[in-house]
Amino acid sequence: MKQLRFRRLYHRLTLCCLCAALITSGMSSTEAVRLTIKPGASNLASHARAQDNSSSEADIIRFLEQATFGATEELINHVQAIGFKAFLEEQYNAPISPYPNLAPWPAQRPETCTGTCVRDNYTMYPLQVRFFSNALNGQDQLRQRVAFALSQILVVSGVQIRQPSSMAPYLNLLTNEAFDNYRQILYDMTLNPAMGDYLDMVNNDKANATGTIQPNENYAREVLQLFSIGVNLLNQDGTPQLDTQGQPIPAYTQEMIEGFAHAFTGWTYAAQSGQETRAHNPPYYLAPMQLYRDRRGVDLNHDKGAKELLSYPGALRPTLSPNQDGQVDLNQAIDNIFYHPNVGPFISKQLIQHLVTSNPSPAYVSRVAAAFNNNGLGVRGEMKAVINAILFDPEARGDLKTDADYGHLREPALFITNLCRALNATSDGILNDASRTMGQDLFNSPSVFNYYPHQYTVPGTNTQGPEFGIESTSTALARTNFVNTLIFGGLRLPAPATGTALNLSGLQFVAGNPATLTSVLDRLLLHYSMSAAMRSAIINAVSAIPASQPLQRAQTALYLVAASPQYQVQR
Amino acid sequence: MKQMKQSRRDFIRNSGCALGAAALVSSLDRFGLVNAMTPQSADYKALVCIFLYGGNDGNNTVIPYDGYAAYNAVRGTTAALNIPKADLLQISPPSAGATFGLHPSLDELQTLFTQGKLAVMCNVGTLTQPLTKTQYQSGAGRPESLFSHSDQQEQWQSSLSADAGQTTFTGWGGRLADNTTSLNGSSTFPMIVSTAGITLFTTGVNARPLVPSNGLAGFNNSAASTARYNALRQILTLNANETLVHSAGDIMASAIDNTNTLNQALSGSAALKTVFPTTSLGNQMKQIAQTIGVRNTLGVKRQIFFASLGGFDTHSNQFGSQGSPAVGGLLQQVSQAMKAFYDATVELGVAQQVTTFTLSDFGRTFQPASGGGSDHAWGNHHFIMGGAVRGGDFYGHFPTLALGGPDDPSDEGRWIPTTSVDQYGATLAQWYGLSSASISTVFPNIGRFSTSDLGFLM
């Protein structure tokens, strides 16, 4: 596995860090002056300029934690130079880091395929490695972040979809369309074969003659409950609408689910080139599903009755007319869903939760939902408008958030990438085992409800914290133990894997002064939010190690910050 | 891993000792430590919950033998979702007055049933009130979001199906732990241990589950390591005004301490002789048995365990998943794991003190769905196992297997439950030691049903 390296500017950068840290820790002016004559002093001046700008360094670091897989020194400097808006434009235009197109293998695994053959062709392994490689090294950081968030809303799981070759097109769909339009995402996802397999959309036929076998309702239910409108009617601020008795109002009925189930009938896997089209084509995951048509072009497996769909003020097609073509029914059904007023707040709130904070104020949700409803040019569902609204909102921006309920627990994959990127890690991308022990086995969600439900409330509080849904005593210790492994010796794997190791040279450089070391980490990992009590706890622990052991000092300080709940929660 | 600092609770308890007895009780009460003054229960009991995620198809788990024709009329159609009559493992529950058959993968459960150590809870499910078909069709109260996985899992684990919109933050396992802490005396070890992560069931107002693991790594007795550990412990208590940081810190602290306690107890104990299948559920049941084995070291008299198995959402290819007449499947895993666990409780001498029971999202439609499976339904059949079970019999009411029949408000065979989750749970909880006064605290809606004790436990 090719080792991935990061550009390392650490000689310049660690001095920049050092200078910045000295300024914030209030060292004597004599020492500050002495340091300005060393190489890299120009960064010192630009840092001082940045403090006068509206985008302070702390806010830049926070922004990068929301919009990428973790702030790096390089990106901090870059955003400082060009500003948030220009950076986002770059991100919108950055080349896409794809998932590999893998060759399909037989559904029944051949006996000759064992060991790494199984790993590479019958598990999510190649996609997991590519995820971490892209996250640690790819240019299109924001795209990958949004695609990752979408993969936790429109879930397909490798627990059921066994081959990575089947999953890759689904992941590429989300990656390619992350900045497009949500209606397109919904439509394309409905015809994605991995999704079709996962939620029984594929080969879902109209009822048989006697009516003893009915169309499968699985996809119909989940597309409403999870991918678009949710269970209850919502206000535009994301709060549930209540009836005159103060109870939530269901957004759909069992009859509507059956209506959609009938509307979605008649689709099968794409016929492969050279193959005769059948009512049920053999499994094929590399092209969208197709509507089965006999030689006369009749969609024989599609239900021709009328179908009851969602009813809401201004609803498009609350009922589908009978005798429509399956393609027409599908388009109208997707429109019926897409224009439901719930979609804006339902999807917006979850994207906010994935990128910024678990508990957005209703006002924040409604601002983002408004952008979903209309991008300013009359277009509904534009992802860029939603992303801009999320990241530029005052509730996302700022140096320091003081609201008690603000922030979100970094999910395992983000915790790993943030730490690795901040510390210039060298990695072969084989990090899913670590993520799995922390509760997040990538692309193997336990169910269509994701690793954790988006409404999960932290026990003992009234605060939502979805990522706490997998934060048990076992997974919490896994985080701490991962930090221990990574810092004290690195994550070592048997050859040919090369594992993951952090670059601690910058920290070692400043380890002679425990206060400076702590300040450098305060900036790097906590965007200057470290409390005085935490600071002195770290300084004490570092001081227990002789100055002649800078590596151990650096490791100790880094461990204490990385393992801390203050870093586990991104604020 | 040695403890370097006194826990805050220890400090508080110790500092209270100088006061007079009455003042002590009232001051300790503020910290929820009154229970510390009451003695432990003399006996030991454990409840073991096995949650079958996805909605197990009870219609193919417990099948009429004498009444096979009605079953076959619907399941034996072109869809062929029927288990052949000759493959059924026959059981004769006295209450039913007829012979039934278990799914062919359930050999071990058939044995336990015949030995009187296993009972079947028929047609149990989520209800807001007792409900007949007529009442259902006239719009009487029914659970929210029937047939939705997440909502039904929540309702099974919380027992709260009434009051639409009622925010459910706790499960009945957690509330049961909250209301029986006195039975564990002064032990601070978590009452709930989960081998399947954290769930609503295991969350109480105060109760949190321990999810076992190998514990905290990377420390030794050197001065530097000790200093780092102390700093870590201190940092875990900081920023307590930030809600999520505070919660993360608490979870980490309890993880370090309680995992250490459990692991020390286990490392000092003898291995079990009972052999467990090396399946997901088998491994979990083994871990639970081992933990029960060290109950005296842990100083506990009451324990609640949670295990789970997924994959039961058999919309298609049900035979491939649940188990066909020829292939073992998930039900085989359940049967083998449960039997091994029962044997382990016999080995530990606690067979009559440990009761195991199953839960699931819902049952499945009697009518097959296209693809060789079944859709989401409602009332389901479940198993209760243990030496204290009045086994070898059925409890509740077995539904009439007819589409649109007296138990089916639909046309697909979705049985309205005749026993509620509340009643099922309350029966288990009272055996466990929940006082009558506290039943409605743990099961707020129990008063809507005719009885809180279904009689399947001695």
Side-chain angles (χ1 to χ4, degrees), chain B residues 429-440:
Chain B
Q430 287 176 84
W431 169 82
Y432 184 75
L434 183 67
S435 67
S436 328
S438 301
I439 297 178
S440 58

Side-chain angles (χ1 to χ4, degrees), chain A residues 135-148:
Chain A
L136 295 177
N137 201 40
Q139 280 184 61
D140 56 336
Q141 289 284 305
L142 179 63
R143 180 184 290 276
Q144 296 291 333
R145 270 302 293 272
V146 174
F148 187 43

Side-chain angles (χ1 to χ4, degrees), chain A residues 200 212-214 218 221 225 231 247 404-405 407 449 457-460 463 468 471-474 481 534 559 566 568, chain B residues 145 147-150 164 169 198 208 210-211 215 217 228 235 238-239 241 243-244 247 255 315-316 367-368 370:
Chain A
D200 304 309
T212 51
I213 302 178
Q214 289 294 319
N218 206 1
R221 181 182 309 283
Q225 181 171 348
V231 174
Q247 306 298 345
D405 290 343
F449 297 91
T457 302
V458 184
T463 310
F468 277 89
E471 183 79 347
S472 70
T473 53
S474 169
N481 291 342
M534 182 168 173
Y559 174 91
Q566 292 78 358
Q568 295 302 318
Chain B
S145 304
F147 323 130
S148 153
H149 283 294
S150 60
F169 294 133
I198 42 179
R208 303 277 177 275
L210 175 67
V211 178
R228 178 161 60 96
I235 289 169
L238 300 177
N239 295 85
N241 59 315
T243 312
L244 301 183
S247 293
H315 282 275
S316 52
Q367 177 170 89
S370 96

Side-chain angles (χ1 to χ4, degrees), chain A residues 516-566:
Chain A
T516 308
L517 173 61
T518 306
S519 295
V520 167
L521 287 168
D522 183 13
R523 169 183 175 274
L524 198 59
L525 298 183
L526 295 177
H527 56 85
Y528 301 111
S529 67
M530 188 186 288
S531 69
M534 182 168 173
R535 186 180 166 75
S536 59
I538 295 171
I539 290 173
N540 285 345
V542 170
S543 303
I545 298 163
S548 57
Q549 295 176 356
L551 176 60
Q552 287 81 346
R553 281 188 159 195
Q555 288 167 327
T556 294
L558 178 58
Y559 174 91
L560 288 171
V561 179
S564 71
Q566 292 78 358

